[in-house]
Amino acid sequence: MSRLRSAMNKGRETGLEVVETARLKRKRSKTSVKDEETVNATLPSMYHSFHDPADVDVLRRQLLTWYDQERRELPWRTLAMTEQDINIRTYAVWVSEIMLQQTQVATVINYYNKWMKVLLTQCVLSSSDFSGEPCSYLFVFQRWPTVHDLAAATLEEVNQMWAGLGYYSRGKRLYEGAQKVVSQLDGQMPGTVDSLLKQLPGVGRYTAAAIGSIALGHVTGAVDGNVIRVLCRLRAIGADSTGPAVTEALWGLANTLVDPERPGDFNQAMMELGARVCTPKGPVCNKCPIQSHCHSYRKVHVRQERNSSKLLGKADMKTSTLPDIEDCMNSGTCPLCPTEPWDDELGVQNFPRKPAKKPPRVERTLTCVVIRRGEEGEDLLLLTQRPNKGLLAGLWEFPSLLEEESKGNHKGALCAEISKILGTRLSDSPIHYVGDVVHIFSHIHQTYVVYSLSLKDGDAQTQAENAQWLTRPALQEAAVSTGVKKIMKLCDSLDSPKDKAFKDGKRQTQSGIKNDKRSQTSKTLRSAAKSGGRQLSLGSFFKTVKEAIV
């Protein structure tokens, strides 16, 4: 009996185990299906990629044909195509890519030419040898056409050359990189994309890929701002273009599309297309060589034809002669699809989407143009050097301090700052307000509150190591920012006969016909006001102006 009871209990336990095992299997199966559905829902669909190799081949051919016909002749492109020395070619492309960061091509051309070219000047001097005949000498003014030349320069010279190009830390990183190549890499530029990325300061993912493909012929895509725009429109990628999912998707697309035979030309063609055709505003879609591959272009035209048919009351008619395209199957959960609704007025400019920019920080800086007479009677201007780190590192500027540091006493604070630089005690009474100069940095809205001070000879003994006196022409060639040149331009304009200097902080009003006319017109308006609202005839206004001219 006990044996029978024991067997029954074992059977019951086994049955329960089988049921529990089956239940767990079903649960795991449901969970795995759910997980798979979740993964599939969050993965980008094929809609955002190129899955047909034939389409990729056609796109490459169309884009490179257009590029060969339409590309701009730029000095760094010419050098990259003609320079046989791979070390010089890599250096030259590196310089161009750093200069082009956040800077327009038209601005860079002149700076690049001055940086890279050797200037030859022929000069004839009289009776320099025993014959008494004039001799001709060839002077070579060389900047930095090789990495060794740049490494042998000084940071002051580099800053001077870079002045006006903006984002001044770029020049410093170029200089530091050149010194590293010469001192640590035996003068040889890195030869792979990975080594460029790791060994050169200031070189990121895009810059390394651009140098690698253009100078070294490595098959890699390159994604800059122009390429982001082109790819987002080609594949209707509308999510935040700065997010990690979109970034990786764009690099994947770039690496898929890049032409293995001409990687450098292909990457430059993509950039050229974004700069000249697929522009941020007013894109010229009818001139785009790869228009037939563009999802956003088709989407715009399909919607336009649908809207037109609705307006005409022909909802049943075929709405597009263009090949129909389906939207992303995972729209709503796809990490590459737009989260904002489509805007018909924007058209293809719905792509790409960027997060709203943070408003620039507002700063007000007190600055004083300090002038003294030189030995030959010329004006000398006092400049001080900024710290080696931070905004405008190592550049020269007029004595300055933040307005908030003055505690409301502008002249007193400037006087104390200048006294500290010169090692003497000055009075703030000769300091005069000149005007305001607004200068916009990428992240700062800067207003320079400009004052001027003319010193006597005894007050002009420079004591500080980071200070110097420069003439006006020398200042224009020095390592100063565009903001300093704007300040100088304001002061020069007020010194001219056309526009007199401020007096006690107020501009003197110019006399002459224009002011008389303005005065006569003001009198007419005042008389109209006194007339109890009675409307004056139009002729009375012309009469007033005519009398003022006579």
Side-chain angles (χ1 to χ4, degrees):
M1 191 72 169
S2 59
R3 288 180 181 177
L4 180 61
R5 191 179 295 111
S6 176
M8 290 176 64
N9 288 335
K10 280 185 178 182
R12 190 181 298 112
E13 289 173 1
T14 302
L16 289 173
E17 286 177 1
V18 170
V19 171
E20 181 64 18
T21 301
R23 189 181 67 81
L24 289 173
K25 282 184 178 180
R26 285 196 304 271
K27 185 176 181 181
R28 277 197 297 269
S29 178
K30 289 179 180 178
T31 303
S32 63
V33 169
K34 188 180 291 185
D35 289 343
E36 186 177 348
E37 289 174 352
T38 302
V39 169
N40 290 336
T42 57
L43 286 175
S45 73
M46 297 298 287
Y47 174 72
H48 299 296
S49 62
F50 288 87
H51 51 85
D52 187 346
D55 286 344
V56 173
D57 288 339
V58 172
L59 185 148
R60 289 171 180 165
R61 187 170 60 253
Q62 290 172 333
L63 183 61
L64 286 171
T65 300
W66 171 83
Y67 180 69
D68 290 339
Q69 296 171 353
E70 301 292 335
R71 67 182 171 199
R72 292 168 290 181
E73 293 298 325
L74 301 173
W76 46 89
R77 286 180 180 169
T78 302
L79 202 155
M81 288 189 294
T82 58
E83 179 56 60
Q84 297 300 311
D85 188 317
I86 192 171
N87 210 47
I88 294 177
R89 187 168 70 242
T90 306
Y91 165 74
V93 175
W94 175 39
V95 171
S96 70
E97 287 298 331
I98 298 299
M99 284 188 172
L100 287 164
Q101 290 173 0
Q102 304 292 323
T103 308
Q104 293 182 348
V105 167
T107 303
V108 170
I109 291 174
N110 188 41
Y111 282 89
Y112 185 80
N113 285 335
K114 288 193 295 183
W115 185 288
M116 293 296 300
K117 286 190 176 180
V118 178
L119 304 177
L120 302 177
T121 302
Q122 192 166 18
C123 181
V124 178
L125 301 178
S126 61
S127 61
S128 296
D129 60 7
F130 294 106
S131 67
E133 296 294 327
C135 298
S136 178
Y137 290 89
L138 188 66
F139 291 92
V140 179
F141 298 94
Q142 184 170 341
R143 276 303 178 180
W144 311 300
T146 70
V147 69
H148 292 85
D149 296 322
L150 178 57
T154 66
L155 183 57
E156 177 70 17
E157 290 173 328
V158 171
N159 283 338
Q160 184 176 341
M161 173 65 81
W162 203 272
L165 194 55
Y167 298 92
Y168 295 91
S169 61
R170 295 179 296 166
K172 182 181 180 182
R173 287 197 291 266
L174 263 176
Y175 174 65
E176 292 172 347
Q179 290 191 316
K180 182 177 181 180
V181 168
V182 170
S183 64
Q184 299 180 27
L185 305 178
D186 197 27
Q188 297 301 306
M189 291 290 295
T192 66
V193 173
D194 286 341
S195 59
L196 286 162
L197 187 60
K198 293 174 182 177
Q199 295 177 337
L200 294 183
V203 170
R205 187 177 183 180
Y206 158 74
T207 305
I211 299 170
S213 62
I214 297 169
L216 304 172
H218 292 175
V219 182
T220 177
V223 179
D224 74 342
N226 286 318
V227 176
I228 287 173
R229 185 166 55 257
V230 171
L231 291 177
C232 282
R233 289 175 180 172
L234 275 175
R235 297 292 94 174
I237 297 174
D240 177 6
S241 60
T242 63
V246 174
T247 298
E248 290 307 312
L250 293 176
W251 276 95
L253 282 171
N255 287 325
T256 297
L257 296 177
V258 63
D259 191 288
E261 301 297 324
R262 299 174 61 186
D265 284 344
F266 184 87
N267 287 334
Q268 290 182 94
M270 289 287 282
M271 299 174 209
E272 189 87 349
L273 187 69
R276 298 177 59 196
V277 176
C278 195
T279 52
K281 295 181 180 179
V284 193
C285 294
N286 61 341
K287 293 186 177 180
C288 179
I290 54 175
Q291 179 199 95
S292 60
H293 304 272
C294 186
H295 282 355
S296 59
Y297 176 80
R298 289 196 233 172
K299 189 178 183 71
V300 167
H301 281 263
V302 167
R303 291 180 69 90
Q304 284 178 345
E305 292 191 11
R306 283 176 182 167
N307 291 338
S308 298
S309 64
K310 286 179 181 178
L311 288 173
L312 295 172
K314 300 177 181 179
D316 294 333
M317 69 178 291
K318 194 173 182 178
T319 57
S320 178
T321 57
L322 293 166
D324 193 18
I325 62 166
E326 60 181 18
D327 286 336
C328 175
M329 296 299 292
N330 296 338
S331 182
T333 58
C334 174
L336 304 185
C337 281
T339 55
E340 299 177 19
W342 176 270
D343 186 340
D344 283 328
E345 292 185 3
L346 289 177
V348 298
Q349 293 170 223
N350 278 279
F351 307 101
R353 294 289 175 90
K354 295 182 179 180
K357 287 185 177 181
K358 293 181 180 178
R361 185 172 79 247
V362 176
E363 279 190 5
R364 290 177 62 83
T365 298
L366 309 181
T367 188
C368 188
V369 180
V370 182
I371 306 173
R372 74 172 175 89
R373 291 291 178 186
E375 294 180 359
E376 299 180 4
E378 76 280 17
D379 284 346
L380 295 177
L381 305 162
L382 179 64
L383 286 101
T384 62
Q385 193 170 30
R386 291 182 62 86
N388 289 326
K389 292 184 179 180
L391 183 69
L392 307 177
L395 298 188
W396 294 86
E397 65 180 3
F398 298 117
S400 304
L401 69 156
L402 291 175
E403 184 181 48
E404 59 195 39
E405 297 175 12
S406 71
K407 298 180 180 178
N409 184 4
H410 289 190
K411 292 184 178 181
L414 283 170
C415 183
E417 182 70 16
I418 297 164
S419 297
K420 184 170 65 175
I421 295 168
L422 298 177
T424 186
R425 188 171 183 178
L426 300 173
S427 167
D428 62 5
S429 56
I431 297 180
H432 298 289
Y433 172 71
V434 176
D436 288 0
V437 170
V438 175
H439 186 65
I440 309 298
F441 297 94
S442 60
H443 59 296
I444 300 174
H445 186 284
Q446 179 69 263
T447 299
Y448 294 105
V449 184
V450 184
Y451 289 81
S452 68
L453 170 64
S454 295
L455 292 180
K456 300 175 183 177
D457 292 339
D459 296 332
Q461 299 300 318
T462 302
Q463 299 294 322
E465 292 182 1
N466 62 336
Q468 63 175 333
W469 294 94
L470 293 179
T471 62
R472 291 171 189 261
L475 181 142
Q476 296 299 322
E477 300 299 322
V480 298
S481 68
T482 304
V484 168
K485 292 183 178 180
K486 284 183 179 180
I487 293 168
M488 198 67 249
K489 186 176 181 181
L490 170 66
C491 292
D492 287 343
S493 71
L494 296 177
D495 286 340
S496 67
K498 217 175 173 185
D499 194 358
K500 297 295 183 183
F502 283 83
K503 183 178 181 181
D504 297 329
K506 296 180 181 179
R507 187 188 296 274
Q508 296 299 300
T509 305
Q510 291 184 7
S511 58
I513 294 173
K514 289 184 178 179
N515 287 333
D516 291 341
K517 286 198 296 182
R518 195 179 297 116
S519 175
Q520 291 289 339
T521 304
S522 299
K523 287 179 181 178
T524 304
L525 292 173
R526 284 197 297 271
S527 66
K530 291 179 181 179
S531 65
R534 180 173 55 85
Q535 185 175 1
L536 296 177
S537 67
L538 185 62
S540 64
F541 284 93
F542 287 111
K543 181 180 178 182
T544 303
V545 174
K546 185 177 179 181
E547 289 173 351
I549 295 174
V550 174

